[in-house]
Amino acid sequence: YSIYWTNNSCGKDYLYLEISTNGGFNWTQIKSWEGANVAWTYEQVDLSNYRINLVKIRFRLSSHNGCSGTGDGWYIDDVSMLEKNNIISVQPLPFSDNFESGFTKWIRGGFNWDTTRSTYTSPINSATDSRVGNYSYLSSPTLATKWVFDLSNTILPALTFFHKYSIYWTNNSCGKDYLYLEVSTNDGYSWNNLRTWEGANNAWTPEQINLSAYIGDSIKIRFVLSSYNGCSGTGDGWYI
């Protein structure tokens, strides 16, 4: 998990995850980040290309922007290296969750995700990224299923849920925030967008997403609130 805030003007600062196969004499970049994300975010990096090697891993913050600017930096926690077979667990269908037992079936990227009783459909809880006050600006909190779902023997698979939302949007040059529903076919290493929402819908609304394009795959689902508008605006957030 990590959160970060780096300089992003007059050139940029960067965060690098790097790997070495020769004891640290040379390093190869695996992934990089820039800008800010103030929500704790879950990362999972595929190392299968290095499975015949002895490796070292390092995290590196590179600050060489042209403004002598800095930021709050990089926070990293709960680092682990695992066999992928130990990560993937198949959840049989049908799957359902009403968040009455918290987030036992989910991975929270950004611990501002919590349950609330302030608004719900049934019985008395819903999940939200902003239980107390508005969501955080310059953040991308995610809520992903902990397990994969095998759609091999399905005929008309669908994802259904209720939600309501109020996120920052404007008609001027400041831009907007967005809500994304995403799917992964490789246990969360990469994600494809299924549906996008913006603006506000303050009534609980049912959604039904056709997953027939993924018959034969094993998939994960995640919800993402992306707050990178140019006015530092936020809103009440997303309730699911």
Side-chain angles (χ1 to χ4, degrees), residues 7 10-14 16 60-69:
N7 181 77
C10 299
K12 301 177 181 179
D13 292 340
Y14 295 93
Y16 298 108
R60 181 166 64 91
L61 191 159
S62 176
S63 178
H64 297 283
N65 64 83
C67 296
S68 303

Side-chain angles (χ1 to χ4, degrees), residues 219-240:
I219 68 168
K220 277 188 171 184
I221 297 293
R222 78 174 180 182
F223 301 90
V224 185
L225 190 158
S226 179
S227 177
Y228 293 101
N229 65 82
C231 291
S232 305
T234 60
D236 191 36
W238 203 359
Y239 298 85
I240 300 169

Side-chain angles (χ1 to χ4, degrees), residues 72-135:
D72 194 36
W74 201 1
Y75 298 81
I76 302 166
D77 202 1
D78 296 328
V79 179
S80 61
M81 190 174 291
L82 303 168
E83 274 274 11
K84 188 175 180 183
N85 289 339
N86 294 335
I87 301 173
I88 298 176
S89 179
V90 176
Q91 173 74 15
L93 297 178
F95 166 86
S96 64
D97 191 25
N98 53 19
F99 298 106
E100 296 306 306
S101 299
F103 293 93
T104 57
K105 301 177 182 180
W106 302 85
I107 296 173
R108 288 178 286 176
F111 290 108
N112 10 6
W113 283 98
D114 203 349
T115 57
T116 182
R117 297 185 177 185
S118 65
T119 179
Y120 54 86
T121 54
S122 67
I124 57 173
N125 282 335
S126 65
T128 180
D129 57 294
S130 52
R131 183 176 65 87
V132 180
N134 287 4
Y135 58 84

Side-chain angles (χ1 to χ4, degrees), residues 10-83:
C10 299
K12 301 177 181 179
D13 292 340
Y14 295 93
L15 309 173
Y16 298 108
L17 174 65
E18 299 176 331
I19 191 168
S20 173
T21 59
N22 57 9
F25 291 103
N26 303 103
W27 295 89
T28 301
Q29 178 185 319
I30 302 177
K31 193 168 183 179
S32 65
W33 300 263
E34 63 183 75
N37 183 7
V38 297
W40 280 103
T41 301
Y42 178 75
E43 300 282 354
Q44 189 167 298
V45 181
D46 185 1
L47 300 178
S48 57
N49 289 337
Y50 298 92
R51 60 180 175 267
I52 64 172
N53 298 109
L54 298 175
V55 303
K56 281 189 171 183
I57 297 292
R58 77 175 182 185
F59 300 89
R60 181 166 64 91
L61 191 159
S62 176
S63 178
H64 297 283
N65 64 83
C67 296
S68 303
T70 59
D72 194 36
W74 201 1
Y75 298 81
I76 302 166
D77 202 1
D78 296 328
V79 179
S80 61
M81 190 174 291
L82 303 168
E83 274 274 11

Side-chain angles (χ1 to χ4, degrees), residues 180-192:
Y180 299 111
L181 174 66
E182 299 179 330
V183 62
S184 173
T185 58
N186 54 12
D187 194 39
Y189 292 104
S190 59
W191 296 87
N192 299 317

Side-chain angles (χ1 to χ4, degrees), residues 193-237:
N193 186 45
L194 283 175
R195 187 75 62 86
T196 303
W197 298 269
E198 61 184 72
N201 180 3
N202 293 310
W204 280 102
T205 303
E207 299 284 355
Q208 184 166 301
I209 313 298
N210 186 356
L211 300 176
S212 296
Y214 297 94
I215 292 176
D217 291 318
S218 293
I219 68 168
K220 277 188 171 184
I221 297 293
R222 78 174 180 182
F223 301 90
V224 185
L225 190 158
S226 179
S227 177
Y228 293 101
N229 65 82
C231 291
S232 305
T234 60
D236 191 36

